[in-house]
Amino acid sequence: MDKQSPGVRAHILRRLRENRLTLDELIADLHATFPDAAASGELPSRSALHRFGQGVQEIVAHEREMAAAAEALVAELGEEFDAKSGALLAQAVTTLASKTAMNAIQSDQTLEISDVLDLARAAKAAQEARSLNLKERQAVAKAAREKLLEEQKARLEAMGSKGGVTEDTKRAIREALGIV
């Protein structure tokens, strides 16, 4: 399939993604669309087209599953990219890198150094996403705590001496809440 011209390859990929033609219909479509290549025997064989189609269908099916999972996440978590969706993204990258490595090992495929580097970068990015996610959550929690303390301090100061609340009582409240 790699030896095909870019036009033929793009046409095959488009037809396979559309998933509307049988193998025989796809072959007939290729012969009708590229008659010169068909006459010179440059079009892929039936078995090559079938093998290539199976690989493309597997990828397309996986992409559809991921799209469905993403839609479910958006429905569940909303449009905001929060801690849960960030953790899920990091896990997805880790899973993908692991699956790619396992597939290469199981198929006795030799990994090129660039493949190993790509896997290492993906794993590192996933780990950084996890640690960044924790740091972001801690920063948000700290900011929320500081805001709450400021609001409580303002309310205590605005309270004055209503209802017989003395300065000693307010001081005790400030100490209990950690308001300095």
Side-chain angles (χ1 to χ4, degrees), residues 49-120:
L49 196 56
H50 179 69
R51 283 191 307 272
F52 185 72
Q54 285 179 326
V56 169
Q57 290 306 321
E58 185 178 315
I59 292 169
V60 169
H62 184 59
E63 287 177 1
R64 285 185 186 131
E65 288 173 6
M66 294 301 287
E71 286 178 21
L73 273 176
V74 169
E76 179 69 26
L77 304 174
E79 294 290 335
E80 294 295 318
F81 189 79
D82 63 1
K84 288 182 182 178
S85 53
L88 182 66
L89 177 62
Q91 183 59 42
V93 170
T94 303
T95 302
L96 180 61
S98 300
K99 184 177 179 182
T100 302
M102 289 305 296
N103 286 344
I105 291 168
Q106 289 173 350
S107 66
D108 290 331
Q109 208 177 13
T110 57
L111 290 176
E112 298 294 324
I113 191 68
S114 62
D115 296 332
V116 174
L117 288 173
D118 289 343
L119 289 172

